[in-house]
Amino acid sequence: MNDANRPERTRPDILFLSFFGVGFLPKAPGTWGTLATLPFLYGLGRFNPPFFLFIPFIIIVTLISSFVTETVQKKYNLHDPQFIVIDEVLGMSTAWLFIQKHNLAHLMLLFILFRAFDIKKVWPASYFDKKVEHGAGTILDDIVSGVYAGVVYLVINAFFSDYLNFI
C-alpha cells in the first residue's frame, strides 16, 4: 500500500474498523481481531445474558460497519484491506450467540470454528466476499461464517458436551 492509500491510524473511522488498531498488528490481522474479541465475549458470558438481547446490537453495528467500510474503501481505493477487522469482531460475536456454556473450552471451540469458516469462505460467504462490491460484502462474509461456526458448534456440543465442560 503506497502512502496515498495509507489510512491515518488515528482517524475515528480507521480506529473503529481496525478495532482500536488491532488490525494493524503484523501477520494474520483477522486472527488478531478475532482474538481481541474474546475477552469481551468472555466477560459478557460471565453474566449469562440472554442471547437475543445482542441481536439488535449486532445488526446495528453491522449496518454501521458496512457503510463506514464502504466510505473508507472508496476514499483509499481499497477492497477488503487487511486492517479492517471489525468484520471478524462481528463474525465472532455472531458465533457467540450460539454458545451453550460460557467457559473457555466453548469459547475456544467457537474461535477455532469461526476462524476455519472465515478462512474457507463457504458459500454464501464466498459470494459476499467476491461478488458484493459494497463495504457490506467485506462485513457480511464474516457474519455468514459466524452463523456456520455457531451451527457446527451446536452439533459438536450436542454430541460432546461432557468433554467441553471441563473448564
Side-chain angles (χ1 to χ4, degrees), residues 46 119 134:
R46 303 315 294 158
I119 291 166
H134 189 275

Side-chain angles (χ1 to χ4, degrees), residues 98-118:
F98 293 82
I99 201 162
Q100 298 295 298
K101 186 164 184 186
H102 295 284
N103 68 28
L104 289 176
H106 286 251
L107 194 58
M108 291 314 299
L109 176 58
L110 272 173
F111 168 79
I112 291 165
L113 290 169
F114 172 70
R115 288 306 298 148
F117 280 109
D118 187 30

Side-chain angles (χ1 to χ4, degrees), residues 28-39:
T31 299
W32 287 115
T34 307
L35 280 170
T37 309
L38 297 182

Side-chain angles (χ1 to χ4, degrees), residues 56-108:
F57 175 77
I58 289 175
I59 290 170
I60 291 166
V61 175
T62 297
L63 291 170
I64 292 167
S65 298
S66 295
F67 288 106
V68 173
T69 297
E70 176 65 9
T71 303
V72 166
Q73 288 181 154
K74 277 186 176 178
K75 178 178 181 169
Y76 295 103
N77 194 28
L78 300 168
H79 176 71
D80 199 1
Q82 288 190 329
F83 75 85
I84 295 178
V85 295
I86 195 68
D87 52 337
E88 275 81 15
V89 172
L90 288 164
M92 185 63 202
S93 297
T94 300
W96 181 79
L97 295 175
F98 293 82
I99 201 162
Q100 298 295 298
K101 186 164 184 186
H102 295 284
N103 68 28
L104 289 176
H106 286 251
L107 194 58
M108 291 314 299

Side-chain angles (χ1 to χ4, degrees), residues 2-167:
N2 63 35
D3 286 339
N5 287 359
R6 188 175 310 270
E8 296 176 40
R9 295 180 184 194
T10 57
R11 290 176 45 99
D13 53 351
I14 303 302
L15 282 171
F16 171 71
L17 294 176
S18 68
F19 200 55
F20 307 102
V22 171
F24 291 105
L25 290 173
K27 304 211 191 236
T31 299
W32 287 115
T34 307
L35 280 170
T37 309
L38 297 182
F40 297 101
L41 297 177
Y42 183 77
L44 280 172
R46 303 315 294 158
F47 296 105
N48 204 19
F51 78 94
F52 63 87
L53 293 178
F54 294 99
I55 293 173
F57 175 77
I58 289 175
I59 290 170
I60 291 166
V61 175
T62 297
L63 291 170
I64 292 167
S65 298
S66 295
F67 288 106
V68 173
T69 297
E70 176 65 9
T71 303
V72 166
Q73 288 181 154
K74 277 186 176 178
K75 178 178 181 169
Y76 295 103
N77 194 28
L78 300 168
H79 176 71
D80 199 1
Q82 288 190 329
F83 75 85
I84 295 178
V85 295
I86 195 68
D87 52 337
E88 275 81 15
V89 172
L90 288 164
M92 185 63 202
S93 297
T94 300
W96 181 79
L97 295 175
F98 293 82
I99 201 162
Q100 298 295 298
K101 186 164 184 186
H102 295 284
N103 68 28
L104 289 176
H106 286 251
L107 194 58
M108 291 314 299
L109 176 58
L110 272 173
F111 168 79
I112 291 165
L113 290 169
F114 172 70
R115 288 306 298 148
F117 280 109
D118 187 30
I119 291 166
K120 186 68 177 158
K121 304 274 189 242
V122 176
W123 190 90
S126 60
Y127 171 80
F128 288 112
D129 184 49
K130 300 291 182 208
K131 301 288 186 193
V132 177
E133 305 239 343
H134 189 275
T138 301
I139 304 300
L140 292 176
D141 71 299
D142 290 77
I143 299 293
V144 171
S145 296
V147 170
Y148 279 140
V151 170
V152 171
Y153 160 82
L154 288 176
V155 171
I156 292 171
N157 186 60
F159 292 101
F160 301 104
S161 63
D162 290 342
Y163 299 105
L164 293 174
N165 294 328
F166 63 90
I167 295 179

